[in-house]
Amino acid sequence: MNLEIILVGIVVGIANFVSRFGPFFVIQKFQQNSQKRGALWLKIALGSIGISAISSMLVVATLPPLLETPNKSLAMLIGFLVLTGLYFKFKKIVPATLTAALTYGLVYTYIPFHF
């Protein structure tokens, strides 16, 4: 695997973690109740780590195919739009992800798009 791709994945993961975790850190610093702060702090940290890991894996998994075949970026865009639309409409991630993967596969395979 290319070192640049790994570095991009690490940078994206760190940026995503900081953007999700940072505001909660600042909010917790200004709260007066120190007992509740510890338990809430751990929940926020664990939730942020999961989201950051998924985002990093997404970037690392999708960047090499995009670099090799940039003409298939349309399929990735359509898959992402399907995922986003279905998730926000029904608030269920598993069916949205499976439908988006199927859509991506169909567009990638059957719709020729050349730059």
Side-chain angles (χ1 to χ4, degrees):
M1 178 164 279
N2 193 350
L3 181 62
E4 292 174 355
I5 295 171
I6 293 172
L7 290 176
V8 167
I10 290 170
V11 168
V12 167
I14 290 170
N16 194 342
F17 179 76
V18 169
S19 71
R20 294 183 179 276
F21 191 60
F24 291 116
F25 176 76
V26 172
I27 290 169
Q28 290 301 312
K29 282 290 190 180
F30 290 113
Q31 278 193 348
Q32 300 299 328
N33 193 351
S34 63
Q35 283 184 329
K36 286 186 175 180
R37 190 175 70 194
L40 185 59
W41 176 259
L42 183 60
K43 289 179 186 177
I44 293 169
L46 292 176
S48 298
I49 290 170
I51 293 168
S52 298
I54 290 170
S55 298
S56 300
M57 288 187 293
L58 176 67
V59 168
V60 171
T62 57
L63 198 55
L66 273 180
L67 292 176
E68 292 173 7
T69 57
N71 59 336
K72 295 298 184 176
S73 59
L74 177 69
M76 190 170 294
L77 176 65
I78 292 173
F80 176 75
L81 291 175
V82 168
L83 172 69
T84 305
L86 288 175
Y87 176 72
F88 283 119
K89 181 163 177 71
F90 299 110
K91 300 292 186 202
K92 294 185 179 184
I93 192 65
V94 174
T97 304
L98 294 175
T99 306
L102 178 64
T103 304
Y104 168 78
L106 291 172
V107 172
Y108 186 87
T109 304
Y110 296 113
I111 296 178
F113 184 79
H114 301 287
F115 288 102

